[in-house]
């Protein structure tokens, strides 16, 4: 089979070296704190085999440990925000939706249903021995590259997605994103990266618009089109997500979390937190402590 280079299909700079295969498999990936936000039309699968990592996927905070499978649906903004003393290592699979158009039968017509945003999959899959076994076999086949290994990989992926469709469809449909949001994402990407990397700093709408080389009014319109939120709401929401992770998984004081997440004073932080999560930061920490003891 002759390989040929494909075009770059996303902000993640994903490339498929073989257009006919449409699956990129990378063993031995390691989680990196403060990794850039990504956004692409492929399904991404992370199968963690050691360590741990905290990820933001859309609106969800996901804590992944060894044995967990993380699913990132098409066009979901995602990033790794924190790793522990033992950074998570995982098998990475990037699956082009065209794989489904050629490989799936009518019973598993995921290509149409994912593109039309009729469903999405759960982000975290835990304690699923059948799925773990399939991905373990897939990793071995990829490493060995024995004759016909790609045919075996195709079969394992078909079985994996059949189980995914059967057991792990999220009730939170439809998928985020639409044709316009996908078109304009690259325009506001510099601002999203700035928020991601400097959320603890003072950020202004004018500053972010300048990064994108467009007017403030045009920037605000496009930003809401892509994210579904105003700029200020998005920044505050992102800071609160980081704060939640810190409350659940760190020993930082409330004052330290307030400062490191970009809130000017603890009272305002507490009000914002309760409005979003319906509990105070102190209640969140107490709840996390009870869960650890259970």
């Amino acid at each position: 089979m002759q390989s040929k280079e494909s075009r770059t299909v996303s902000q993640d700079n994903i490339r498929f070296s073989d257009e006919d295969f449409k699956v990129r498999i990378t063993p031995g990936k390691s989680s990196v704190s403060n990794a850039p936000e990504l956004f692409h039309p492929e399904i991404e699968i992370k199968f963690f085999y050691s360590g741990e990592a905290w990820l933001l996927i859309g609106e969800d905070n996901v804590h992944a440990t060894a044995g967990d499978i993380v699913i990132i649906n098409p066009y979901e903004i995602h990033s790794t925000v924190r790793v522990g003393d033992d950074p998570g290592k995982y098998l990475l699979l990037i699956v082009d939706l065209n794989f489904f158009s050629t490989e799936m039968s009518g019973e598993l017509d995921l290509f149409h249903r994912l593109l039309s945003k009729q469903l999405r999959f759960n982000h975290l899959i835990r304690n699923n021995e059948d799925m773990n076994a399939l991905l373990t076999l897939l990793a071995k086949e990829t490493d060995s590259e024995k004759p016909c290994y790609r045919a075996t990989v195709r079969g394992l992926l078909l079985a994996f997605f059949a189980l995914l469709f059967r057991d792990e469809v999220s009730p939170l449909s439809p998928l985020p994103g639409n044709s316009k949001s996908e078109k304009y994402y690259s325009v506001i990407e510099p601002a999203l990266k700035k928020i991601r990397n400097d959320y603890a700093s003072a950020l202004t709408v004018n500053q972010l618009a300048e990064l994108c080389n467009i007017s403030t009014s045009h920037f605000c319109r496009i930003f809401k089109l892509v994210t579904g939120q105003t700029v200020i709401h998005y920044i505050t929401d992102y800071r609160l997500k980081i704060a939640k992770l810190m409350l659940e998984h760190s020993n930082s004081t409330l004052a330290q979390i307030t400062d490191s997440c970009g809130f000017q004073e603890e009272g305002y932080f507490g009000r914002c937190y309760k409005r979003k999560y319906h509990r105070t930061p102190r209640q969140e920490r107490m709840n996390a402590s009870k869960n650890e003891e259970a």
Side-chain angles (χ1 to χ4, degrees), residues 28-31 47-53 65-66 86-91:
K29 289 284 288 183
S30 185
S31 300
F47 178 34
F48 284 80
Y49 55 84
S50 70
E52 61 181 344
T65 59
D86 183 14
K89 292 186 179 180
Y90 56 91
L91 169 74

Side-chain angles (χ1 to χ4, degrees), residues 100-119:
F100 302 111
S101 67
T102 57
E103 298 295 331
M104 294 292 187
S105 66
E107 184 181 7
L108 294 172
D109 186 13
L110 299 183
F111 177 78
H112 168 73
R113 296 186 68 178
L114 285 167
L115 281 185
S116 61
K117 301 173 177 57
Q118 296 176 19
L119 66 82

Side-chain angles (χ1 to χ4, degrees), residues 40-44 72-76 97 114-115 121 175-176:
H40 50 72
E42 296 79 20
I43 292 179
E44 183 172 332
I72 299 161
N73 295 285
Y75 298 112
E76 286 190 316
L97 289 189
L114 285 167
L115 281 185
F121 298 119
L175 279 164

